[in-house]
């Protein structure tokens, strides 16, 4: 516009090119709701700041005892009757137990769930932002967002801040027109579709249990039991997982919350004679 | 005086008009006619082609453009305002691919129409810019197989239609369509195409060689009909007209 040229006023995106090197400018766009707003970075990182370097210096060796909330076990798998999602509920900050009853599943809407592992703050913020975008999509387009699109939005958000120290491993589960959907999304921007995923530092224990017990034609009760076992055994061996098993079952007409069982009781059932 | 400058930029006049937008709509009424028909398994776009100058290459003048494999649009504006249309078409094409990338699904016709309409509206509400001087007819199939036809105008509003016309003589063509758009008139693909040609023949001088026609069939890409095919259809239509006239004469005499 003429007056802008005369007064020398620079538009935001021109200034932005000076702050960010050429590689990142394609991520910036005018706030335009058709581009889902995730291309526009939610936070403008001030010039000259290196978030991941700062984070690295905030650990014990650097003399600073700020420990972030980390550590968890989550798992999800598809089977004949939908998707099972099971998570633990321990939130640890270094060696300190911040909570034994943390909620690691975000109910985006009645047919979409997101799990959280990694840094609790990062997971909560970005997945709630994803929930907002999904609600807006539904309002604008008169039909629900697909699981593929929701997971794509989250991974695009992660890609916008790649290399800046985010820590998030999430599984987006849902049921849409294409049937049951399960996607793994992490802070590197990885986005994978699959039949079974487990995230968090207890994931190796969970994989072992679920891999050996999985059958495609399981009944619903057998699947619930498998999910419970996976989390329980992982919490038994992994110091950073514990609390209760929160389990959800994603069905064609939406998800239901199956149970919230204390792992310390479950482990005694499963390992009779071992203690 | 205040009354004078609202004609130059898009602000409200004292009696509630946006003059620039209304002038843009007037410009659309000067453009060549375009007609769109929504059939059962086919959508048809027909445009009145201006006769090209002797030295001009015919194929550079294209008024029907594909936005994606399953959506296309025709526009009408100030005589051959392809410049404004090019901007809109380009942005729409980028948005179609952007949608495919992010949502992993092709756009619905309604979505891309809404995008184009929002784009046009934005230009009616910022200073230093003028509205786009084109109306567009957007046709296509959604991925669930439903055929759609939408029309946008320079103010940024859009509506869905079963059949519509824009440009010069749009009123005449629309009245023809209101009389002749029936379930049986669009029963088959060929019938829908013939209806579009008949509608255009109402207002186009010198018949078939001034008509450009494009169709999209369900699950098939855009097809622009060649002038030979159009000529064949026009001859068929004229034969049918003669037979109708003959029948009427016989009825009268017996």
């Amino acid at each position: 516009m003429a007056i802008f040229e005369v007064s020398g006023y620079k538009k935001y995106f021109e200034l932005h090119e000076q702050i960010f090197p050429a590689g990142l400018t394609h991520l910036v766009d005018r706030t335009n709701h058709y581009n889902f707003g995730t291309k526009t970075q939610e936070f403008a990182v001030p010039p000259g700041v290196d978030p991941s370097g700062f984070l690295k210096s905030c650990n014990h060796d650097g003399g600073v005892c700020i420990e972030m909330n980390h550590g968890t076990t989550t798992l999800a798998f598809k089977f004949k009757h939908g998707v099972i999602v099971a998570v633990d509920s321990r939130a640890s900050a270094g060696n300190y137990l911040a909570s034994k009853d943390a909620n690691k599943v975000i109910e985006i809407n009645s047919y979409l769930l997101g799990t959280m592992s990694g840094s609790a703050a990062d997971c909560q913020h970005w997945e709630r932002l994803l929930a907002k975008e999904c609600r807006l999509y539904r309002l604008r387009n008169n039909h629900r967002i697909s699981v593929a699109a929701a997971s794509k939005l989250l991974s695009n958000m992660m890609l916008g801040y790649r290399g800046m120290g985010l820590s998030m491993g999430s599984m987006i589960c849902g049921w849409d027109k294409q049937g049951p959907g399960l996607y793994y999304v992490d802070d590197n921007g990885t986005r994978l579709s699959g039949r079974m995923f487990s995230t968090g530092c207890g994931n190796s224990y969970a994989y072992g249990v679920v891999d050996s017990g999985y059958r495609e034609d399981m009944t619903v009760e057998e699947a619930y039991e498998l999910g419970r076992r996976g989390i329980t055994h992982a919490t038994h061996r992994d110091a950073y997982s514990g609390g209760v098993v929160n389990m959800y079952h994603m069905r064609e007409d939406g998800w239901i919350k199956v149970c919230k069982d204390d792992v310390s009781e479950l482990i005694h059932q499963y390992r009779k004679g071992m203690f | 005086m205040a009354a004078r400058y609202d004609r130059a930029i898009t602000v409200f006049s004292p009696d509630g008009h946006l003059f620039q937008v209304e002038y843009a709509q007037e410009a659309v009424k000067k453009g060549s006619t375009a007609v769109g028909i929504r059939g059962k398994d086919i959508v048809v776009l027909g445009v009145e082609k201006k006769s090209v100058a002797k030295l001009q290459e015919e194929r550079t003048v294209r008024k029907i453009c594909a936005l994606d494999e399953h959506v296309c649009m025709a526009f009408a504006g100030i005589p051959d305002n392809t410049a404004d249309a090019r901007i809109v078409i380009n942005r729409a094409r980028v948005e179609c691919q952007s949608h495919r990338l992010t949502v992993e699904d092709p756009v619905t016709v309604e979505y891309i129409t809404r995008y184009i309409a929002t784009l046009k509206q934005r230009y009616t509400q910022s200073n230093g810019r003028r509205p786009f001087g084109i109306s567009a007819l957007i046709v296509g199939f959604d991925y669930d197989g439903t055929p759609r036809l939408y029309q946008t105008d320079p103010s940024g509003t859009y509506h869905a239609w079963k059949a519509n016309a824009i440009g010069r003589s749009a009123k005449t063509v629309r009245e023809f369509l209101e009389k002749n758009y029936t379930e049986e008139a669009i029963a088959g693909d060929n019938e829908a195409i013939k209806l579009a040609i008949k509608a255009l023949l109402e207002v186009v001088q010198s018949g078939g060689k001034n008509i450009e026609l494009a169709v999209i069939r369900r699950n098939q890409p855009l097809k622009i009909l060649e002038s030979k095919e159009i000529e064949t259809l026009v001859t068929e239509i004229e034969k049918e007209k003669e037979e109708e006239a003959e029948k009427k004469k016989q009825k009268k005499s017996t």
Side-chain angles (χ1 to χ4, degrees):
Chain A
M1 286 132 237
I3 194 160
F4 285 147
E5 265 114 51
V6 168
S7 63
Y9 171 79
K10 280 204 179 135
K11 285 179 234 173
Y12 170 67
F13 58 84
E14 284 174 29
L15 272 175
H16 206 273
E17 272 170 63
Q18 293 170 14
I19 299 173
F20 277 85
L24 289 173
T25 49
H26 65 279
L27 293 168
V28 178
D29 198 359
R30 277 180 313 163
T31 317
N32 171 356
H33 62 256
Y34 288 101
N35 295 340
F36 293 111
T38 51
K39 277 200 232 151
T40 330
Q41 289 183 302
E42 293 290 321
F43 304 115
V45 179
V49 168
D50 175 24
S52 54
F54 167 73
L55 281 174
K56 282 200 194 93
S57 66
C58 284
N59 57 26
H60 207 75
D61 302 328
V64 177
C65 288
I66 301 176
E67 303 280 355
M68 314 265 257
N69 282 347
H70 260 267
T72 191
T73 311
T74 70
L75 68 87
F77 57 87
K78 281 192 207 172
F79 73 118
K80 195 162 126 199
H81 301 283
V83 191
I84 299 289
V85 178
V87 303
D88 77 313
S89 68
R90 175 172 292 182
S92 52
N95 298 329
Y96 167 69
L97 258 193
S99 166
K100 67 175 181 8
D101 204 4
N103 189 6
K104 300 189 189 181
V105 174
I106 178 168
E107 298 156 7
I108 295 171
N109 58 43
S110 60
Y111 71 101
L112 258 189
L113 291 171
T115 67
M116 312 186 202
S117 71
S119 157
D122 287 337
C123 289
Q124 279 179 359
H125 175 266
W126 292 105
E127 295 199 23
R128 293 180 82 203
L129 197 61
L130 173 66
K132 174 193 103 171
E133 290 294 335
C134 291
R135 274 197 292 276
L136 281 175
Y137 183 99
R138 167 77 180 81
L139 285 169
R140 286 172 186 150
N141 296 289
N142 271 327
H143 64 88
R144 291 178 189 149
I145 194 170
S146 63
V147 189
S151 58
K152 194 65 134 335
L153 286 183
L154 186 61
S155 76
N156 284 347
M157 289 180 208
M158 292 296 109
L159 281 165
Y161 292 91
R162 193 176 148 106
M164 295 195 203
L166 287 180
S167 165
M168 185 200 82
S170 156
M171 295 180 294
I172 305 295
C173 332
W175 197 301
D176 59 23
K177 289 193 196 97
Q178 268 100 343
L182 176 58
Y183 285 83
Y184 165 74
V185 178
D186 81 4
D187 51 88
N188 293 319
T190 308
R191 174 178 164 267
L192 300 166
S193 169
R195 294 196 63 81
M196 194 236 152
F197 291 107
S198 175
T199 68
C201 46
N203 70 354
S204 3
Y205 308 109
Y207 273 130
V209 171
V210 179
D211 280 339
S212 37
Y214 181 86
R215 279 178 6 255
E216 167 65 21
D217 58 350
M218 281 187 289
T219 64
V220 174
E221 278 307 318
E222 287 174 338
Y224 291 166
E225 196 51 29
L226 190 62
R228 260 192 290 264
R229 275 184 189 261
I231 296 292
T232 310
H233 286 283
T235 57
H236 179 59
R237 290 290 176 187
D238 177 33
Y240 295 101
S241 307
V244 300
V245 180
N246 282 314
M247 184 147 57
Y248 292 75
H249 179 190
M250 178 64 67
R251 304 188 300 199
E252 189 166 1
D253 53 354
W255 54 261
I256 52 163
K257 178 134 191 213
V258 175
C259 70
K260 192 184 159 105
D261 296 332
D262 193 329
V263 293
S264 35
E265 279 154 35
L266 286 174
I267 194 67
H268 284 284
Q269 281 175 28
Y270 297 145
R271 311 205 62 212
K272 284 201 180 82
M274 278 281 208
F275 296 111
Chain B
M1 298 293 272
R4 282 286 144 217
Y5 73 85
D6 51 24
R7 290 168 188 274
I9 53 175
T10 317
V11 293
F12 282 106
S13 69
D15 56 346
H17 292 270
L18 283 171
F19 280 120
Q20 277 300 302
V21 176
E22 290 179 13
Y23 297 161
Q25 283 162 342
E26 285 299 314
V28 169
K29 288 190 197 143
K30 295 203 163 60
S32 36
T33 318
V35 68
I37 308 249
R38 183 185 86 194
K40 289 215 186 70
D41 306 306
I42 190 174
V43 286
V44 187
L45 275 180
V47 178
E48 171 195 359
K49 219 172 23 174
K50 278 235 145 95
S51 28
V52 294
K54 250 184 167 177
L55 293 172
Q56 191 178 51
E57 290 270 20
E58 205 183 316
R59 236 167 279 137
T60 54
V61 184
R62 267 274 124 88
K63 301 203 69 178
I64 302 179
C65 312
L67 298 179
D68 198 353
E69 289 171 344
H70 60 297
V71 189
C72 73
M73 80 175 237
F75 54 89
I78 316 169
D80 297 326
N81 192 359
T82 46
D84 275 8
R86 264 205 321 268
I87 304 296
V88 172
I89 290 170
N90 196 44
R91 299 282 280 270
R93 283 175 176 161
V94 171
E95 180 61 22
C96 284
Q97 297 312 311
S98 192
H99 187 276
R100 271 188 195 256
L101 176 63
T102 320
V103 183
E104 295 191 344
D105 259 331
V107 292
T108 57
V109 187
E110 199 264 340
Y111 178 92
I112 196 63
T113 309
R114 201 170 359 122
Y115 176 80
I116 291 174
T118 310
L119 178 65
K120 287 184 178 179
Q121 192 279 341
R122 227 181 285 139
Y123 277 67
T124 68
Q125 211 175 5
S126 36
N127 53 356
R129 304 200 229 195
R130 62 161 176 83
F132 286 103
I134 56 164
S135 271
L137 284 174
I138 300 156
V139 296
F141 284 87
D142 291 344
Y143 50 80
D144 64 354
T146 328
R148 305 263 184 211
L149 164 64
Y150 284 90
Q151 185 228 347
T152 64
D153 68 2
S155 64
T157 54
Y158 69 95
H159 299 278
W161 292 77
K162 293 183 192 156
N164 197 6
I166 51 177
R168 184 176 37 218
S169 338
K171 222 167 155 219
T172 323
V173 178
R174 209 175 299 132
E175 281 166 6
F176 173 86
L177 287 171
E178 279 175 14
K179 275 193 222 108
N180 292 289
Y181 183 92
T182 56
E183 280 310 305
E184 34 172 70
I186 51 149
D189 291 356
N190 250 356
E191 279 77 32
I193 300 176
K194 278 203 212 142
L195 182 62
I197 298 181
K198 273 190 237 172
L200 271 179
L201 285 174
E202 295 277 308
V203 295
V204 159
Q205 306 108 337
S206 55
K209 52 183 161 54
N210 278 5
I211 294 180
E212 191 181 316
L213 210 72
V215 301
I216 305 186
R217 290 189 173 83
R218 187 176 290 120
N219 292 330
Q220 285 181 30
L222 169 73
K223 176 165 180 270
I224 301 196
L225 269 61
E226 296 187 28
S227 32
K228 276 191 225 101
E229 297 175 84
I230 302 181
E231 284 297 329
T232 328
L233 287 164
V234 168
T235 340
E236 273 180 43
I237 290 173
E238 284 175 356
K239 226 178 29 177
E240 283 170 18
K241 260 200 208 153
E242 284 174 20
E243 287 170 8
E244 279 288 316
E246 275 297 313
K247 269 198 217 145
K248 280 212 183 115
K249 252 198 240 163
Q250 287 184 0
K251 266 199 178 161
K252 271 198 182 153
S253 51
T254 54

